[in-house]
Amino acid sequence: MNDVVNSSGSTSTIHAAGVAIKDLRKSYGSNEVLKGISLNVAPGEVVCLIGPSGSGKSTLLRCVNLLEQPNQGSIHVGGFEATDPDVDIDKMRRKVGMVFQQFNLFPHLDAKRNCTVAQTKVLKRSQAEADKVALHNLERVGLGHLADRFPDQLSGGQQQRVAIARALSMDPELMLFDEPTSALDPETVGDVLSVMRNLAKEGMTMLVVTHEMGFAREVADRVVFMDGGVVVEEGVAEQVISAPTQPRTKEFLRRVLDPTHIEIEE
Amino acid sequence: MAMTARQRARVSLYVQGAIFLVALVAIILAVDWKTIGTSVFNFGKIGPMFPDIFLSGLKNTLVYTFLGFIVGLSGGLLLALMKLSSFPLYRWIATGYIEFFRGIPALLVFIAFGYGVPLAFGVQWNVTIVVMISLGMVASAYIAETLRAGLQAVPKGQLEAARSLGMPQWRAMVTIVIPQAFKIVLPPLTNEVILLTKDSSLIYVLGLTASQYELTKFGRDGISSLGAGLTPLLVAGAFYLVITIPLSLLARKFESRSARTKR
């Protein structure tokens, strides 16, 4: 764990939280998208969720901070039981940073204000303190010089990095990434991935839905392959990606890693 | 001897021009100019309208419209949020209110709050209160629908991002969603103000004292007192345009600005 500057400006380590998901089920009507998922993420661990679209990876991620309400099972995040009906959702979400595929920056606020609005309104920090934290985090993602730009004046990759800085400004103990590079131009993907790589090095707990196999292999401690609402295979990143044991994992990776040499099946 | 497409278009343009010209000449010939000169365009006798048309007519129209708009905006926002609520009772109340007040003539609302309600409750309301309530209640029904459309036009990801940062629902709406919705509905909202400006004339059904006259009532009063026929009403009409045309231009400016930032 490296030293980072926390909200008060002093130096400290990231306080990382773990996640424990047990037998999680989620249906939309009669369509069951999560069919009993169990998954543990240790504090400071980086776990990548991979799998074909429609496999339920994004839904699983969105269940962790209750953007989707699970039907069954339990989720523990830090000291919170997310699935407890009496849980203080807002208090729990302060600990959980979320980064979306479509960035979802607030278009009516500049980059700095995007990073301060929740600090002042939710954490009740003073504007001066919030500004300091925001600038620190914008510098952390390499955008300190663009703090007064509005989202529509930034490239996709820059917007996504502001979105990461916005989440970090709340001093989260866990970061969720929902396909953070899928909506980006290819040449800006690298900047976003390197910010995420640094964050992983600093000891942040990260749960990442991604199609970037290179990133998963290099940065993730573990990789979880999902298909059809179940965990098909999980293990050390290098092992799952380079030497998968399950036929469905092999097939998926063959298609993702070498898309130009797929033979069309009858 | 076929014509080219361009020749046909030119001939068609000449024909349209000729028809328009003939119609104009026919109207000019048919009009009784002598009577019109004394009872419609008789600007020689309207001197006494000034400066009171500014001090009471124009001023009261602006004040009534402003008060109605403030009530309409607050009520409209409340109704729009109720209509989008997940609680069915709120949705039903809002839908009932909106359908009712959009469905009946605004004039009836003025009569109801000018005479009916004060009688029923044995209260005395002054004209300003009646205008504020009547105009405000009608306006909130229309504004509610405009704002609802604006709130729904804000992408769902905005609310999700705000909630993910730990904002409670109300805080996310107030800080993130509603400001964006207002930006979207600024042009149609300006149009609502134009409609309100004209609806403020309905106050004439109440008994007004001279200092309470707004533009239309002021003009009607001039008809009986100045002996210039309908001319005072024409002047009042021109004053409405002085208010509404700048608003129209403003709405168009908002529209082009939001088109530009959407990119």
Side-chain angles (χ1 to χ4, degrees):
Chain A
M1 278 190 218
N2 283 349
D3 285 351
V4 290
V5 178
N6 75 357
S7 56
S8 56
S10 64
T11 318
S12 74
T13 49
I14 288 178
H15 187 285
V19 184
I21 301 169
K22 209 174 160 196
D23 195 31
L24 196 73
R25 287 173 186 275
K26 168 73 184 170
S27 308
Y28 297 104
S30 60
N31 179 25
E32 192 172 39
V33 286
L34 297 180
K35 300 171 181 168
I37 303 269
S38 295
L39 177 67
N40 289 307
V41 183
E45 195 179 20
V46 177
V47 173
C48 281
L49 293 171
I50 63 170
S53 52
S55 57
K57 354 179 252 308
S58 284
T59 307
L60 175 62
L61 197 74
R62 291 164 58 86
C63 280
V64 173
N65 73 345
L66 295 180
L67 285 179
E68 303 289 344
Q69 196 65 47
N71 300 108
Q72 250 186 64
S74 71
I75 303 174
H76 286 83
V77 178
F80 292 90
E81 184 182 349
T83 37
D84 177 354
D86 293 328
V87 71
D88 186 340
I89 295 182
D90 299 320
K91 212 168 165 187
M92 184 194 86
R93 282 174 173 154
R94 290 178 210 168
K95 308 275 181 202
V96 183
M98 175 97 177
V99 175
F100 299 86
Q101 183 179 352
Q102 298 297 337
F103 330 137
N104 295 341
L105 288 184
F106 306 133
H108 60 306
L109 305 176
D110 66 19
K112 191 168 80 175
R113 287 272 291 150
N114 262 278
C115 298
T116 60
V117 63
Q119 291 188 64
T120 54
K121 305 291 186 195
V122 176
L123 301 180
K124 308 291 175 201
R125 289 176 184 161
S126 70
Q127 188 65 47
E129 190 188 354
D131 282 349
K132 207 164 114 189
V133 174
L135 279 172
H136 165 70
N137 283 305
L138 284 169
E139 274 157 24
R140 209 164 153 190
V141 301
L143 293 175
H145 59 299
L146 299 180
D148 57 354
R149 293 271 184 98
F150 281 82
D152 66 353
Q153 300 168 316
L154 297 168
S155 74
Q158 291 169 336
Q159 287 190 53
Q160 192 61 297
R161 285 187 279 156
V162 172
I164 293 172
R166 174 176 71 179
L168 291 176
S169 296
M170 302 295 285
D171 295 333
E173 301 177 2
L174 159 72
M175 287 284 286
L176 306 174
F177 293 84
D178 189 3
E179 300 197 27
T181 57
S182 296
L184 297 179
D185 292 332
E187 73 267 25
T188 65
V189 168
D191 297 335
V192 172
L193 291 181
S194 85
V195 165
M196 291 168 64
R197 188 180 299 117
N198 289 339
L199 198 57
K201 274 188 211 148
E202 287 169 12
M204 179 64 79
T205 313
M206 292 166 62
L207 195 51
V208 185
V209 172
T210 188
H211 293 295
E212 300 287 341
M213 293 305 143
F215 174 82
R217 190 191 333 231
E218 182 202 341
V219 179
D221 298 302
R222 267 189 309 141
V223 165
V224 175
F225 174 70
M226 283 177 69
D227 192 13
V230 296
V231 172
V232 175
E233 182 167 357
E234 65 169 297
V236 176
E238 181 64 30
Q239 179 257 309
V240 173
I241 293 173
S242 305
T245 58
Q246 299 293 319
R248 275 147 89 190
T249 319
K250 284 181 188 165
E251 173 63 16
F252 172 76
L253 287 166
R254 193 169 64 83
R255 285 170 175 273
V256 173
L257 295 175
D258 195 10
T260 51
H261 290 93
I262 304 290
E263 283 159 39
I264 294 171
E265 293 156 39
E266 288 301 311
Chain B
M1 217 190 63
M3 287 189 292
T4 65
R6 185 178 289 191
Q7 283 171 324
R8 269 203 303 277
R10 181 172 296 179
V11 169
S12 153
L13 203 64
Y14 286 148
V15 170
Q16 285 171 41
I19 292 173
F20 177 74
L21 218 67
V22 169
L24 197 66
V25 170
I27 290 170
I28 289 170
L29 291 179
V31 163
D32 178 355
W33 286 106
K34 210 167 162 189
T35 315
I36 289 240
T38 56
S39 60
V40 181
F41 293 119
N42 191 351
F43 294 110
K45 286 190 175 176
I46 58 161
M49 289 181 80
F50 297 88
D52 283 0
I53 192 161
F54 290 106
L55 299 179
S56 83
L58 184 63
K59 188 204 87 183
N60 283 333
T61 291
L62 290 174
V63 168
Y64 296 161
T65 305
F66 177 75
L67 292 176
F69 182 66
I70 293 303
V71 174
L73 194 62
S74 336
L77 182 58
L78 186 69
L79 286 165
L81 291 172
M82 283 170 76
K83 208 163 174 189
L84 295 174
S85 159
S86 54
F87 190 45
L89 183 64
Y90 286 165
R91 289 203 302 270
W92 296 335
I93 293 173
T95 306
Y97 180 98
I98 292 167
E99 293 307 326
F100 182 79
F101 280 95
R102 287 203 308 178
I104 58 168
L107 186 62
L108 297 189
V109 180
F110 274 86
I111 293 172
F113 285 100
Y115 299 109
V117 175
L119 271 181
F121 293 94
V123 289
Q124 277 286 328
W125 278 345
N126 72 36
V127 168
T128 312
I129 300 275
V130 175
V131 182
M132 198 161 108
I133 294 177
S134 316
L135 214 49
M137 290 193 82
V138 175
S140 38
Y142 286 94
I143 291 175
E145 281 296 276
T146 306
L147 287 179
R148 180 191 56 77
L151 288 169
Q152 284 180 318
V154 176
K156 206 170 141 244
Q158 292 292 313
L159 185 63
E160 288 187 348
R163 297 299 311 270
S164 296
L165 289 165
M167 291 189 196
Q169 176 81 14
W170 69 268
R171 167 55 74 191
M173 291 302 286
V174 168
T175 312
I176 304 300
V177 178
I178 292 175
Q180 293 184 54
F182 264 106
K183 226 173 203 175
I184 295 171
V185 300
L186 220 43
L189 213 52
T190 316
N191 289 330
E192 300 289 350
V193 179
I194 292 176
L195 294 178
L196 270 187
T197 310
K198 295 181 292 174
D199 274 354
S200 67
S201 66
L202 295 171
I203 191 69
Y204 80 86
V205 293
L206 308 179
L208 302 177
T209 63
S211 66
Q212 295 166 334
Y213 287 180
E214 42 65 64
L215 283 172
T216 301
K217 181 72 182 165
F218 192 88
R220 284 161 60 100
D221 187 61
I223 294 177
S224 48
S225 64
L226 296 179
L230 298 173
T231 316
L233 216 49
L234 219 63
V235 175
F239 271 82
Y240 278 104
L241 295 179
V242 168
I243 304 174
T244 57
I245 289 176
L247 282 172
S248 256
L249 294 174
L250 197 66
R252 209 172 305 165
K253 201 172 160 187
F254 288 145
E255 231 162 283
S256 64
R257 189 202 293 173
S258 69
R260 213 172 41 238
T261 53
K262 227 164 246 164
R263 258 185 286 184

